[in-house]
Amino acid sequence: MEDKKMLLWNTPLNELRKSFGWKDSYEVGDERIDSEHKKLFEIAQEAFNIVDSKKRNYKIKEVIQNLYNYMQAHFRHEEEYMKAVNYPQINEHKNKHQEIIQNINEFVKKIASLDTELFEKELAKLIDVALVQHIIQEDRKIIHFVRLNSE
């Protein structure tokens, strides 16, 4: 994970913008979860698209707040789903959700002190860890468990 963060840090912003977004390879196979993941990417994309520097801090806080709120709702839905399917690693997964929320809180505290380039790199790093890596590494475990136990 630390290597991934370094790679993101050293990637030019225009490359980060091009590669950012939902990819079908992120699908976990549950319609509701995939739909909510796509919405999280849409909200995160809004933060990258804020260009008006006069309104930047206000708009960024608004978008990050939307991301934060939607992510909390999504995590509740995901946790309800894990409970419904008796997912054995629910507590570990919930802890990862809490870590993501804490990371977003830390990011919000730093926003005012970040210039545009640093903001976008920090946002890309946060989104990669909070969304992409979480989906690929953790959420797929839930779906894999469900598939194994429904056969």
Side-chain angles (χ1 to χ4, degrees):
M1 188 58 72
E2 293 306 310
D3 289 344
K4 177 74 172 168
K5 289 177 187 176
M6 288 301 296
L7 177 65
L8 284 169
W9 189 256
N10 291 315
T11 303
L13 284 176
N14 60 339
E15 291 299 315
L16 287 175
R17 285 188 195 109
K18 279 189 236 173
S19 66
F20 180 79
W22 175 261
K23 295 172 181 52
D24 290 340
S25 62
Y26 300 157
E27 288 183 0
V28 296
D30 179 86
E31 190 175 316
R32 181 180 186 183
I33 292 173
D34 285 334
S35 173
E36 289 181 354
H37 286 162
K38 288 176 188 177
K39 179 66 176 173
L40 286 168
F41 272 92
E42 289 172 15
I43 296 169
Q45 186 66 51
E46 285 180 57
F48 281 115
N49 293 333
I50 295 169
V51 214
D52 185 356
S53 61
K54 291 179 185 172
K55 295 181 181 177
R56 179 179 164 255
N57 285 343
Y58 170 75
K59 290 297 286 177
I60 286 170
K61 286 179 183 174
E62 183 181 304
V63 171
I64 298 298
Q65 186 65 45
N66 289 341
L67 178 65
Y68 178 86
N69 291 338
Y70 195 84
M71 193 168 279
Q72 284 191 311
H74 167 65
F75 286 165
R76 276 193 307 276
H77 298 156
E78 204 171 84
E79 289 166 10
E80 290 167 4
Y81 179 73
M82 288 186 287
K83 188 175 180 181
V85 299
N86 296 314
Y87 184 61
Q89 289 141 352
I90 188 171
N91 290 331
E92 293 88 349
H93 198 103
K94 287 168 90 171
N95 288 339
K96 295 197 183 291
H97 287 170
Q98 287 305 312
E99 287 175 26
I100 291 170
I101 296 300
Q102 287 173 341
N103 288 340
I104 293 173
N105 285 332
E106 290 302 314
F107 179 68
V108 169
K109 289 176 188 174
K110 295 190 300 187
I111 287 176
S113 66
L114 301 175
D115 65 25
T116 302
E117 183 175 346
L118 191 55
F119 165 78
E120 289 187 349
K121 287 199 174 208
E122 287 290 322
L123 178 65
K125 186 172 70 174
L126 175 71
I127 297 303
D128 186 70
V129 172
L131 288 179
V132 178
Q133 297 307 314
H134 183 77
I135 291 167
I136 292 170
Q137 295 176 4
E138 300 304 324
D139 292 350
R140 284 188 176 165
K141 291 178 187 176
I142 303 166
I143 302 308
H144 182 69
F145 169 80
V146 170
R147 287 183 182 147
L148 283 177
N149 290 289
S150 65
E151 294 176 351

